Amino acid sequence: MIIWLDGPFGVGKSTLAAELHRALKGSLVADPERVGDLLRGAMSGHELTQRDYQDCPPWRQVTATLVTSLAAYTGGPVIVPMTVLDPHHATDLLTPLREAGLPVHHLVLHADPDVLQQRITTSDEFPGDPVRSDAVRAYRHRRAADYQKAADSWMHAHGHVIDTSTLAPGQTLQTALAHLHTT
């Protein structure tokens, strides 16, 4: 089983991924950002380097292969916390997982815009490093409108939406687990 956690930057995907990992025996978390870091290093200075690694086809191919390979190797759930705003990129990622015969749960964590902005503003991603934390918060604030556009145009129609606006992390976990057990 693949559990793809999507949604805006700062909504709580990594928190839910960690909680699902603790709750689901034999699960593991595969973070595609690490694939992006690898790709950035490999393509450093190359003319085809993309600003956003998600725009580079090898990132999508390697990510899909990694996730399917981990699921086949471990037999346990693979939890993937990754915002994917482009519907074509989502197709490139999720279709191979489904074609491999794996049950894919595309969970979209959502928060009302005001709630999301407040969460981003009060987050401290790098305790003791205010410069890095400020940079992450600024990036998340800038990308919130991109998420809303994706949510309105395709994401909410193609994933199971969990509105976290009024939920504590434990409640979000219980909502996700309930969905996984009923589908």
Side-chain angles (χ1 to χ4, degrees), residues 30-32 35 60-72 78 97:
D31 187 346
V35 175
R60 299 188 300 276
Q61 295 161 353
V62 170
T63 296
T65 299
L66 173 68
V67 172
T68 55
S69 297
L70 288 171
V78 178
L97 305 179

Side-chain angles (χ1 to χ4, degrees), residues 1-4 17 20-30 66-81 102-105 177 180-181:
M1 166 176 41
I2 307 300
I3 306 166
W4 195 285
L20 283 167
H21 177 59
R22 284 189 292 276
L24 298 172
K25 184 178 179 179
S27 68
L28 54 90
V29 177
L66 173 68
V67 172
T68 55
S69 297
L70 288 171
Y73 181 65
T74 66
V78 178
I79 304 157
V80 186
L102 299 167
V104 177
H105 300 274
L177 290 171
L180 296 174
H181 290 34

Side-chain angles (χ1 to χ4, degrees), residues 85-97:
L85 300 174
D86 184 305
H88 303 292
H89 294 355
T91 298
D92 287 350
L93 291 158
L94 299 175
T95 299
L97 305 179

Side-chain angles (χ1 to χ4, degrees), residues 122-171:
T122 60
S123 70
D124 190 18
E125 293 303 310
F126 299 99
D129 191 341
V131 173
R132 257 177 102 188
S133 290
D134 286 346
V136 169
R137 283 191 294 272
Y139 176 80
R140 289 176 174 178
H141 281 300
R142 283 193 313 271
R143 298 302 305 268
D146 297 332
Y147 159 73
Q148 195 58 55
K149 181 179 174 186
D152 293 342
S153 65
W154 73 272
M155 191 184 293
H156 283 194
H158 288 86
H160 176 77
V161 178
I162 300 174
D163 189 338
T164 68
S165 299
T166 61
L167 300 179
Q171 293 170 307

Side-chain angles (χ1 to χ4, degrees), residues 39-40 42-53 56:
L39 186 64
R40 276 192 193 109
M43 293 194 66
S44 179
H46 193 278
E47 65 187 42
L48 293 176
T49 301
Q50 301 287 324
R51 182 168 186 211
D52 183 344
Y53 56 75
C56 189

